[in-house]
Amino acid sequence: MDVLRAISLMILSMALLAGADAFFKLATNAAPIGQVMTLVSIGGTALFVALAAMRGVSLLGRDALHPMVLLRNLCEVVGAVGMVTGLKYISLPVFAAIIQTGPLIVVLGAAIFLKEQVGWRRWAAVAVGIVGMLIVIRPFGAGFTGYELWAVLGIAALSARDLVTRLSPPHIPALAISTWGFGITLVPGLALWAFASEPSSYAPDALWPILGAVIVTTSGYLAITTAMRLAPASIVSPFRYTRLIFTTALGILIFGDRPDGWTLVGAALILAAGLYSFLRERRLAKEALAQTQAGLAC
């Protein structure tokens, strides 16, 4: 039952995060990017601080200044700016396809920077995923706007954040790291808001999507956390790719997006490459565990 519940929560979390994408797009269509980032950061950080207080997690101390925590926060800042800018200017189906390259970028970064062993099969999967992303954004096509690169920058920075998280001291609670990361986005939000060329908006069509983004983003985080605690990552992680379906569907239903054939082909390549890479990594982990157990038995 725990496994089924974990899978259900993972799918729910992806639906919530897809909802967050839609809320961010709605909000940035009505208000400056900086205003949206600032208000979402304030609301989300307040909820995380309250959760940390309920769980007795300390947010003050020298751990907040650990080099890996600071580097992670920097990645969070770059990722947030890139993702929100991309959401404002490109369609949700294109955005959804781009962000699904995240796991493949993590594989690439782990091989280059963490010196993890990556076989030719996973290298091939990464290459296929990159080709899929190029098909989606078509940098030399007539429909290319340049804002697609903001989403690429965003997912690259967030993938780097995930790699840096592996290097963070294990004694620091995940909730504290997440709270600091969410709170640091207030800095670029305020900076972008101060230099925004468009006027601030406090109309309902701007404020209610911001409130929605705060609620569904934090709810999605909690759903992911619970899912990962109920079942092994090897079981629930593949269901992260359902976000592609949810985000694309919301783009069609809310914004009238109509992904063309090439976008669908590119998204399919990214999805296939990501799932293959994950399944290959899972198989290698099982083989390594079996060899270890056999060695202990001897």
Side-chain angles (χ1 to χ4, degrees), residues 278-295:
F278 176 82
L279 293 174
R280 180 65 182 170
E281 185 175 351
R282 180 181 176 184
R283 180 180 176 183
L284 292 175
K286 285 184 176 181
E287 291 177 354
L289 179 61
Q291 292 176 357
T292 301
Q293 291 176 339

Side-chain angles (χ1 to χ4, degrees), residues 2-294:
D2 280 349
V3 170
L4 291 176
R5 186 183 173 199
I7 291 173
S8 298
L9 283 171
M10 180 58 74
I11 294 174
L12 173 63
S13 71
M14 293 301 103
L16 290 168
L17 293 178
D21 296 338
F23 277 128
F24 268 108
K25 191 168 185 64
L26 286 169
T28 54
N29 285 343
I33 290 176
Q35 178 186 353
V36 174
M37 286 185 63
T38 299
L39 296 182
V40 170
S41 178
I42 291 173
T45 303
L47 289 177
F48 278 129
V49 169
L51 182 61
M54 287 189 293
R55 295 185 176 179
V57 175
S58 175
L59 300 176
L60 301 176
R62 298 179 63 181
D63 285 339
L65 300 177
H66 189 280
M68 289 300 104
V69 172
L70 296 178
L71 180 57
R72 185 187 186 279
N73 288 345
L74 176 61
C75 294
E76 192 83 63
V77 167
V78 177
V81 173
M83 297 288 273
V84 177
T85 304
L87 272 170
K88 179 177 176 65
Y89 292 106
I90 65 178
S91 69
L92 281 184
V94 171
F95 177 82
I98 292 173
I99 64 172
Q100 292 305 319
T101 60
L104 297 172
I105 296 175
V106 170
V107 171
L108 181 64
I112 295 175
F113 298 107
L114 302 184
K115 307 303 180 183
E116 293 185 7
Q117 293 296 318
V118 176
W120 70 268
R121 293 179 179 85
R122 282 195 288 164
W123 278 119
V126 170
V128 169
I130 292 174
V131 169
M133 183 174 67
L134 290 174
I135 291 174
V136 170
I137 66 177
R138 277 159 282 172
F140 302 106
F144 180 69
T145 66
Y147 288 108
E148 294 86 353
L149 298 179
W150 282 98
V152 174
L153 173 65
I155 192 58
L158 294 184
S159 299
R161 175 202 65 186
D162 293 341
L163 289 172
V164 173
T165 301
R166 297 186 188 182
L167 303 176
S168 301
H171 71 272
I172 303 178
L175 181 55
I177 291 176
S178 298
T179 304
W180 297 327
F182 211 103
I184 198 64
T185 58
L186 179 64
V187 176
L190 288 170
L192 291 173
W193 195 359
F195 293 100
S197 58
E198 55 187 305
S200 302
S201 175
Y202 299 96
D205 62 343
L207 294 182
W208 76 261
I210 292 175
L211 177 61
V214 170
I215 294 173
V216 297
T217 301
T218 52
S219 298
Y221 165 80
L222 292 175
I224 289 177
T225 303
T226 305
M228 298 300 286
R229 288 179 175 176
L230 289 175
S234 60
I235 294 176
V236 298
S237 289
F239 293 92
R240 289 178 180 269
Y241 288 98
T242 57
R243 183 174 179 177
L244 176 62
I245 299 172
F246 291 126
T247 302
T248 301
L250 289 175
I252 294 172
L253 294 174
I254 298 176
F255 302 98
D257 296 329
R258 293 293 181 266
D260 59 22
W262 285 113
T263 298
L264 295 176
V265 168
L269 286 176
I270 294 169
L271 179 61
L275 287 174
Y276 176 81
S277 179
F278 176 82
L279 293 174
R280 180 65 182 170
E281 185 175 351
R282 180 181 176 184
R283 180 180 176 183
L284 292 175
K286 285 184 176 181
E287 291 177 354
L289 179 61
Q291 292 176 357
T292 301
Q293 291 176 339

